[in-house]
Amino acid sequence: MVFSKKWSPFNWHIGKVQIEQIRSFRYLGITYNFNLSWSVHRYNMIKAAKVSLNQLKQFFFVKGNQYIPAAIKVWNEKFLSQVLYGIPLWIGALNQEVENLQATFLRQILGCPNCVSYPTICLETGQNVLATKAWVQTIRYWLKRHFRFESGSHVSFLHSELPYSSWDSFIRNKLNQIGIDLDYLAVANESYIFKSIKQRFFDIDLQKLNPVQPFTCSPAVLDLDIGLGRMPHYFNNLELPSQRRAFFLARVNAFPSMLLFGRYRQIPRSERLCPCGSNSVDSIDHILIVCPLHEALREKLLSPLLQPKKYRSDKLKCKFLLNDQVPEITTIVAEFLAGVYKEKEYIIKSKSE
């Protein structure tokens, strides 16, 4: 293989045997292309990852009891290493198609509608977006290269005088974009710098959670607690898949309702009214707290939880029910939501026909 910007065929022989000239070559799991492009490696990686993920999803729905924590653990320990293998080399080729691997996988196991953004799904499941994981691995490798020589030695001085490679400049530009002061490289140690940069990437992930509008699909709309890097307790505590999904959709403000239905049909929010006839917007707090269509189930399950409390607004009551602080409360609320879910889907389906 000859590395060059443009493909130029050569006619080389060893004796009478012609030497084959190839466009790409796989070495130690990395596919190198003749023009130093990573498109072939990325294509092969995505193709192999999709096959593996389809097998995981088939097991998840058929024999895995749709247990989300186990599926995400397998993703992190097996498939993430497959997807991001050698990422410091090809970080510049990371694109939306690669990130869609994680986004599509999480959407399918959660049964999540498209209105919920990919960053929101990651944060609700305690994950980082794929780009953040890729950059954290790349920065770790980059820092090891930077600190591989003892500070003050002749070798480190000569290394510092060398011009930056295009790869090194690309990473430095990324750090400048996220507001990292590169002067720290001269005065701080490797561990401190890595922790600071890693935290900066995590903070950027959290900033993406803030809703653009007050009715965006996000836990931030209901002011719910969320911990980056920590999976909410309800994914482990709720045994029935239907309850896990209903509770998840309620937390991200994507529960089946006229509010959600109106987003797809571009109906003004003030006109997305509940079919109960109360002239109220069919929001998740309306469904949980006041909707008369679910009064019997609410009296049985939710009223005993809310009666001892004195909240000033329905939104505070909704936050109390969905905050996932007490497993017993979460289980009862999930049972209520799972019971309401089928009825809401039927009502919305009849509206769309």
Side-chain angles (χ1 to χ4, degrees):
M1 184 168 66
V2 179
F3 291 99
S4 61
K5 292 183 178 180
K6 294 183 179 181
W7 173 256
S8 300
F10 293 89
N11 190 19
W12 291 337
H13 294 77
I14 297 180
K16 295 183 179 181
V17 179
Q18 184 177 8
I19 301 175
E20 180 186 4
Q21 185 177 352
I22 56 177
R23 293 175 179 268
S24 62
F25 180 73
R26 184 178 174 87
Y27 179 69
L28 296 179
I30 302 293
T31 303
Y32 296 88
N33 206 36
F34 76 93
N35 60 359
L36 295 179
S37 166
W38 297 105
S39 57
V40 176
H41 173 78
R42 185 178 59 208
Y43 172 81
N44 292 337
M45 178 275 297
I46 292 175
K47 184 178 179 181
K50 284 182 177 179
V51 173
S52 301
L53 285 174
N54 285 336
Q55 295 173 350
L56 173 60
K57 286 182 286 189
Q58 184 178 3
F59 179 83
F60 173 80
F61 287 108
V62 177
K63 297 182 179 179
N65 193 32
Q66 299 181 36
Y67 190 55
I68 293 169
I72 292 179
K73 185 176 181 180
V74 174
W75 160 264
N76 286 329
E77 296 185 359
K78 183 182 187 300
F79 296 101
L80 189 63
S81 59
Q82 178 184 359
V83 172
L84 297 184
Y85 181 76
I87 187 61
L89 293 176
W90 58 277
I91 184 65
L94 186 70
N95 63 3
Q96 190 61 46
E97 190 177 6
V98 179
E99 290 205 71
N100 284 343
L101 290 171
Q102 183 180 28
T104 303
F105 170 69
L106 291 176
R107 285 190 189 281
Q108 291 179 342
I109 67 172
L110 291 167
C112 183
N114 292 330
C115 65
V116 184
S117 69
Y118 166 51
T120 297
I121 297 174
C122 288
L123 289 165
E124 178 63 13
T125 54
Q127 307 298 301
N128 292 108
V129 297
L130 192 64
T132 294
K133 295 177 180 179
W135 272 107
V136 167
Q137 290 189 26
T138 301
I139 295 300
R140 186 194 295 273
Y141 175 77
W142 180 74
L143 287 173
K144 285 182 178 179
R145 290 184 71 258
H146 181 82
F147 286 98
R148 71 183 185 271
F149 302 121
E150 183 179 354
S151 178
S153 65
H154 294 294
V155 179
S156 67
F157 175 75
L158 292 173
H159 178 70
S160 64
E161 293 298 312
L162 293 175
Y164 297 138
S165 65
S166 58
W167 175 81
D168 193 86
S169 298
F170 179 75
I171 294 176
R172 288 174 177 270
N173 288 336
K174 177 65 176 181
L175 294 177
N176 281 324
Q177 289 174 10
I178 65 173
I180 298 296
D181 186 0
L182 295 179
D183 291 340
Y184 278 120
L185 295 175
V187 297
N189 58 51
E190 179 182 351
S191 176
Y192 175 79
I193 295 173
F194 177 71
K195 289 180 180 179
S196 300
I197 296 175
K198 183 179 179 181
Q199 186 60 49
R200 179 59 183 153
F201 276 109
F202 288 177
D203 291 342
I204 292 173
D205 276 359
L206 281 174
Q207 291 172 7
K208 296 176 182 177
L209 182 63
N210 295 326
V212 179
Q213 297 175 328
F215 44 89
T216 302
C217 295
S218 167
V221 174
L222 303 171
D223 194 26
L224 299 178
D225 296 335
I226 189 168
L228 183 61
R230 176 184 62 82
M231 182 175 291
H233 302 299
Y234 70 89
F235 282 120
N236 288 287
N237 296 335
L238 297 177
E239 297 180 359
L240 298 179
S242 59
Q243 293 184 1
R244 284 196 295 266
R245 182 165 187 257
F247 197 81
F248 164 77
L249 293 176
R251 276 182 56 90
V252 298
N253 198 31
F255 196 79
S257 63
M258 292 305 299
L259 182 64
L260 183 64
F261 176 75
R263 292 173 190 157
Y264 295 112
R265 298 297 180 92
Q266 297 183 345
I267 300 173
R269 188 173 190 271
S270 58
E271 298 178 14
R272 304 174 195 173
L273 304 180
C274 179
C276 68
S278 63
N279 203 31
S280 301
V281 175
D282 195 18
S283 60
I284 185 61
D285 51 326
H286 171 78
I287 295 170
L288 282 170
I289 310 302
V290 297
C291 183
L293 295 177
H294 320 298
E295 185 64 30
L297 193 59
R298 185 183 300 108
E299 285 295 325
K300 176 184 176 182
L301 297 174
L302 301 187
S303 294
L305 301 177
L306 294 172
Q307 284 175 356
K309 308 290 181 179
K310 294 183 179 180
Y311 294 105
R312 296 181 179 180
S313 67
D314 291 344
K315 188 172 182 179
L316 290 175
K317 293 178 183 179
C318 188
K319 180 180 178 180
F320 165 72
L321 294 174
L322 296 177
N323 226 8
D324 191 33
Q325 296 293 329
V326 182
E328 293 77 12
I329 295 177
T330 298
T331 302
I332 295 172
V333 176
E335 183 181 351
F336 172 84
L337 290 169
V340 171
Y341 185 89
K342 289 185 177 180
E343 184 178 349
K344 298 296 289 187
E345 272 199 327
Y346 175 78
I347 294 174
I348 295 169
K349 186 178 180 180
S350 63
K351 288 279 186 181
S352 60
E353 293 177 349

